[in-house]
Amino acid sequence: DGGITQSPKYLFRKEGQNVTLSCEQNLNHDAMYWYRQDPGQGLRLIYYSQIVNDFQKGDIAEGYSVSREKKESFPLTVTSAQKNPTAFYLCASRGLAGGWDNEQFFGPGTRLTVL
Amino acid sequence: SQQGEEDPQALSIQEGENATMNCSYKTSINNLQWYRQNSGRGLVHLILIRSNEREKHSGRLRVTLDTSKKSSSLLITASRAADTASYFCATGAGSYQLTFGKGTKLSVIP
């Protein structure tokens, strides 16, 4: 079964804690993305990676960090520096072959709540 | 920054009616994509239209693109209760990133 998985589905964080959200894909996609979605809002790009060991900041990278040690995995750490982390986090991937016209495939999301 | 802006923000229709959602954007694009999101879930790709295309169909979906007006519309014909979801447009502009709008929340009443 090909796809993209995220875990956990729900995550609770105390203030001052770092937490890591997992994203794994077995689609053999080169590019992976992390988005944040707030209620009634669209998706905002946090970080993206087009190749192993390389990643770039998106529009709202402050307070977040990522790594891309393996093609299949792109974990996101929400650090204590992120002052308002309660949101729905979505991971996506896409292939790069064929140019610009590829769709992104999304995971089911992780809902993070700060207690 | 969010390039796409969907209109209306919310739409409520009866089952069997057609639903039309619009998307406007600001800069030149290579393609425009529409995605669907059921409540609390990830997004699912519906259809992609390239900048040199004007209309595209997929099942009950019809997408139009007017690059001179920087706008697109998504038409869902003969809507069903199962079409209830949020619909997002996303623009691709010469990179591997997409820029998403804020979405239209569609409710189809049985």
Side-chain angles (χ1 to χ4, degrees):
Chain A
D1 234 4
I4 180 165
T5 58
Q6 292 184 240
S7 62
K9 187 171 182 179
Y10 299 97
L11 186 57
F12 298 90
R13 190 194 96 168
K14 293 181 181 177
E15 289 201 20
Q17 275 185 338
N18 292 355
V19 290
T20 298
L21 284 59
S22 169
C23 178
E24 304 276 333
Q25 54 99 0
N26 61 4
L27 300 168
N28 199 34
H29 285 166
D30 291 296
M32 296 187 74
Y33 307 82
W34 274 106
Y35 295 94
R36 170 181 171 138
Q37 186 178 31
D38 293 282
Q41 300 295 310
L43 278 63
R44 292 185 290 168
L45 182 64
I46 305 172
Y47 268 98
Y48 65 100
S49 167
Q50 293 179 188
I51 194 169
V52 173
N53 292 324
D54 188 48
F55 46 83
Q56 282 78 42
K57 293 181 180 180
D59 298 321
I60 54 165
E62 186 174 350
Y64 300 97
S65 66
V66 293
S67 63
R68 186 90 187 274
E69 297 176 3
K70 299 186 300 181
K71 188 175 184 179
E72 302 80 19
S73 179
F74 191 41
L76 173 74
T77 296
V78 184
T79 75
S80 57
Q82 171 48 240
K83 297 307 176 190
N84 186 22
T86 294
F88 190 51
Y89 290 86
L90 287 160
C91 180
S93 71
R94 65 167 283 175
L96 300 183
W100 311 126
D101 295 340
N102 290 348
E103 66 188 87
Q104 290 188 10
F105 291 79
F106 283 81
T110 292
R111 188 166 298 280
L112 173 63
T113 303
V114 173
L115 301 173
Chain B
S1 59
Q2 290 179 309
Q3 161 145 253
E5 290 288 337
E6 288 90 342
D7 169 58
Q9 290 186 336
L11 179 62
S12 184
I13 60 173
Q14 296 286 340
E15 201 165 27
E17 294 180 338
N18 295 343
T20 299
M21 289 158 265
N22 302 296
C23 170
S24 60
Y25 58 91
K26 294 175 183 164
T27 64
S28 296
I29 61 172
N30 290 106
N31 66 70
L32 187 144
Q33 304 181 30
W34 285 91
Y35 288 79
R36 165 195 169 125
Q37 183 182 34
N38 286 80
S39 182
R41 303 286 189 91
L43 278 69
V44 175
H45 182 261
L46 294 176
I47 195 165
L48 179 152
I49 187 165
R50 295 181 177 84
S51 60
N52 61 354
E53 297 175 318
R54 292 296 166 258
E55 188 170 313
K56 205 160 181 182
H57 296 255
S58 177
R60 293 184 297 113
L61 305 180
R62 173 178 168 253
V63 171
T64 61
L65 179 64
D66 187 334
T67 52
S68 67
K69 294 181 180 177
K70 291 187 169 59
S71 68
S72 172
S73 67
L74 171 68
L75 169 68
I76 304 174
T77 60
S79 63
R80 305 166 182 168
D83 294 329
T84 294
S86 291
Y87 293 82
F88 294 88
C89 69
T91 52
S95 74
Y96 296 117
Q97 300 172 56
L98 291 175
T99 304
F100 287 83
K102 294 184 179 180
T104 291
K105 190 169 184 177
L106 173 66
S107 299
V108 181
I109 303 164

